[in-house]
Amino acid sequence: MCAAQFPNGFLWGSATAAYQVEGSPLADGAGPSIWHRFVHTPGLVRDGDTGDVACDHYRRWKEDVAIMRRLGLQAYRFSVSWSRILPAGTGHVNYAGLDFYDRLVDALLENGIEPLVTLYHWDLPAALDDRGGWLNPEISKWFADYAEVMFRKLDGRVKKWATLNEPWVVTDGGYLHGALAPGHRNRFEAPIASHNLLRAHGAAVQAYRATGRHEIGLVVNIEPKYRASDDPADVAATARAEAYMNRQYLDPVFFGHYPKEMVEIFGEAWPDWPSEDFALIQQPIDFLGVNYYTRSVTRFDANAWPLKACAVRQKQATYTETGWEVFAPGLTETLLWVKRCYGNIPLYVTENGSAFFDPPTAAKGRVEDPLRVDYLREHLGAVRDAIAQGVDVRGYMAWSLLDNLEWSLGYSKRFGIVHVNFATQQRTPKDSAHFYAKVIASNGAVL
Ligand SMILES: OC[C@H]1NNC[C@@H](O)[C@@H]1O
Ligand SMILES: [Ca+2]
């Protein structure tokens, strides 16, 4: 059999998110988002870092598109800041905000780069949070109305849309543990926020079907759970963790119901959902975006709230700066798992990457990041292995194009294949960018 390879037409790209790279959060009529409020609340973000400037991408976008062009990227996954488009979240449209994304899409297309647009990557308009945000069931309509503005403006040129990025992180971080905006820590709110995220996803897909001519999907983070032992308590803990992080979003979208473990996990805090909600949530999607970073070897832990499960550190493994085990086989397993459980829906690896400490720019114009090169090489090999086993993977977006604001961890964690000097805003492609450029030019043959 010929060596496994990537299919012709495989889409090679990179990814960012609005609040992490753009800066200028209130420019040209934009309204504040919950992240603008969160970072300006003392003590919530490491080193008091904010997205006020970030990578200044709102102003340097032309330079960044030129970098993508030089690397030979075929696609660029980015998110739209809802509060640039609708400063109050609903109602008045801010045309200057629309123009930014309009120009960006045109520049990408002029450079042969396909835009993949995520409508929601965590930066909810603060004005909607004041009206309950993801806890207010009306948000499915607010979100669908915002989505329609974007569809009308860009659909002729944007052929791949995603509604949400990682609803699990939005819920777990923003409503259960409080580490992310809007910083709530409430096990009664978390299920409600999560359910409304899925309802909003469904409403936006429904809106797209009325006018859209191309593809729309959902982006989820999936972290495969490996049991630490065959002890029944560990087996049950692993099933809970898999249900909570992975199946809580895929089961409703593909099957129209939640995993049974959700009641076990949340107890009295898990509502009886109206059955008509699942007809909305289960709108057929054209592709699934999978964000993969690591796996979790899982054991029972009576004190771990609310899952009663925790991860077990692996002695021989390499860990990234965010404390994630480097485990490339988990990506192959994850892609096979999705196909096995949910069918062979077209998949994109919409995020995959690693934060390692980058040495100061060694020689002018060069940043050596061998650990990130290794991570990239191993994980691209893992994607190829999944394709060789019949999974319909159609593209890979490296997280991230640029070093950027890693949310509450500030700028301390660098995921970029392009280094950003935040004092001067100078961009320097790292060795990982040069390696990735070779991979793209050979459609993966150099791996
Ligand atoms: O933690 C790395 C990335 N994970 N997925 C969502 C992105 O916004 C993060 O930066
Ligand atoms: Ca290609």
Side-chain angles (χ1 to χ4, degrees), residues 8-12 74 443:
N8 288 336
F10 190 80
L11 200 58
W12 300 95
Q74 299 167 353
N443 197 37

Side-chain angles (χ1 to χ4, degrees), residues 339-358:
K339 175 173 181 278
R340 192 166 61 244
C341 298
Y342 302 101
N344 208 10
I345 180 168
L347 301 180
Y348 291 86
V349 177
T350 30
E351 287 182 29
N352 175 243
S354 55
F356 287 110
F357 178 71
D358 291 341

